[in-house]
């Protein structure tokens, strides 16, 4: 069973479109994240949710809107896509307050904006 | 400016060689983690170091956390092609921030 699963794995779309990426974790974790990895492989945190509440919101355009319907799901909706949004988006989860705070990542969703 | 600086950015070596990669910061971290990422996959945790001066060994990999908890190193002995990947360090400062990574290629 996949611990953190994201869909779709690949997404190719035109500028100006709206798209969503879904994420689900079956680890029972209470914290979920979205990271963006650019072409230089720099992994940057975008959002973090703990028990469905937003706790980290980095300087991300408001075209990006995360939604957490429950602890096991964190979806990312992107409006008016731009060329610079092309990247691999990783969902991750962890258990808040543990000593190690290990992040479990999904396989990533590669978004290409044409 | 990145919170964590990793060096070198790229490293290409022959099988059997030893190597060390570094992760440096001016910030103090409560813990620091090393991840390895392979193409088409998400990062996977290798180790977490918590105590200043701590050394952890994972087979041929040796991880060290600096005394001041601001830096860390990863040493690989007798590298193998299977060690090829992107090595990322991440510091815990109420949230997990990643360095830009070291891309290691081990040639057979």
């Amino acid at each position: 069973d996949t611990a953190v699963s994201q869909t779709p794995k690949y997404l190719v779309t035109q500028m100006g479109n709206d798209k969503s990426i879904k994420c689900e974790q079956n680890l029972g974790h209470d914290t979920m994240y979205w990271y963006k990895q650019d072409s230089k492989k720099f992994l940057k945190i975008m959002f973090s949710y703990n028990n469905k509440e937003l706790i980290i919101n980095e300087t991300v355009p408001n075209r990006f809107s995360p939604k957490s319907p429950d602890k096991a799901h964190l979806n990312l909706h992107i409006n008016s896509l731009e060329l610079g949004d092309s990247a691999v988006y990783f969902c991750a989860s962890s258990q808040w307050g543990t000593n190690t705070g290990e992040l479990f990542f999904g396989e990533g969703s590669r978004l290409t904006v044409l | 400016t990145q919170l964590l600086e990793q060096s070198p950015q790229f490293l290409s070596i022959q099988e059997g060689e030893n190597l060390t990669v570094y992760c440096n910061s001016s910030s103090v971290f409560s813990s620091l983690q090393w991840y390895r990422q392979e193409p088409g996959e998400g990062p996977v945790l290798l180790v977490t170091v918590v105590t200043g001066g701590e050394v952890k060994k994972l087979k041929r990999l040796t991880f060290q956390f600096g005394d001041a908890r601001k830096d860390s190193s990863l040493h690989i002995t007798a590298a193998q092609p299977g060690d090829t990947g992107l090595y990322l360090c991440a510091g815990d400062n109420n949230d997990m921030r990643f360095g830009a990574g070291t891309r290691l290629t081990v040639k057979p």
Side-chain angles (χ1 to χ4, degrees):
Chain A
D1 284 346
T2 306
V4 181
S5 58
Q6 304 178 220
T7 55
K9 187 161 183 171
Y10 299 97
L11 189 53
V12 180
T13 188
Q14 299 285 335
M15 276 176 58
N17 284 348
D18 303 339
K19 291 293 177 187
S20 292
I21 307 171
K22 296 186 176 181
C23 179
E24 176 182 5
Q25 54 97 3
N26 63 6
L27 297 166
H29 289 162
D30 59 5
T31 306
M32 295 185 72
Y33 311 79
W34 278 109
Y35 281 84
K36 178 181 180 181
Q37 189 170 46
D38 59 26
S39 57
K40 294 184 179 179
K41 303 302 180 186
F42 180 46
L43 201 61
K44 185 175 179 182
I45 191 166
M46 299 173 69
F47 302 102
S48 171
Y49 271 73
N50 176 256
N51 281 316
K52 301 192 299 175
E53 287 193 23
L54 182 66
I55 54 173
I56 295 173
N57 184 355
E58 290 297 290
T59 308
V60 175
N62 58 14
R63 299 181 293 103
F64 290 78
S65 52
K67 283 189 172 55
S68 182
D70 55 58
K71 281 196 325 182
H73 295 84
L74 181 62
N75 304 322
L76 183 65
H77 187 76
I78 314 170
N79 289 327
S80 303
L81 279 157
E82 300 178 358
L83 292 176
D85 297 334
S86 294
V88 181
Y89 292 84
F90 284 98
C91 176
S93 73
S94 70
Q95 186 60 29
W96 190 262
T98 58
N99 195 33
T100 61
E102 177 179 358
L103 290 170
F104 290 80
F105 284 87
E107 292 188 328
S109 297
R110 181 177 291 277
L111 171 65
T112 302
V113 182
L114 303 175
Chain B
T1 304
Q2 288 175 216
L3 191 61
L4 288 158
E5 299 285 341
Q6 289 191 242
S7 61
Q9 192 176 354
F10 299 96
L11 187 56
S12 181
I13 60 171
Q14 291 295 133
E15 182 175 2
E17 292 183 12
N18 301 332
L19 66 113
T20 303
V21 298
Y22 301 92
C23 175
N24 296 302
S25 177
S26 56
S27 299
V28 176
F29 296 105
S30 57
S31 68
L32 192 141
Q33 299 179 341
W34 284 93
Y35 289 79
R36 186 170 82 193
Q37 184 179 14
E38 299 190 25
E41 297 180 10
V44 176
L45 181 70
L46 295 173
V47 79
T48 301
V49 285
V50 178
T51 307
E54 182 177 3
V55 176
K56 278 192 174 178
K57 293 195 174 186
L58 190 67
K59 297 183 181 178
R60 295 176 293 101
L61 277 60
T62 302
F63 304 85
Q64 186 162 8
F65 201 13
D67 291 341
R69 305 207 317 275
K70 292 182 179 181
D71 53 79
S72 180
S73 63
L74 158 59
H75 182 80
I76 301 179
T77 305
Q80 298 176 1
D83 296 327
T84 294
L86 179 68
Y87 288 82
L88 296 159
C89 67
D92 189 355
N93 225 357
N94 296 321
D95 59 72
M96 203 62 70
R97 303 289 169 140
F98 283 81
T102 293
R103 181 170 298 284
L104 172 65
T105 302
V106 182
K107 300 174 186 176

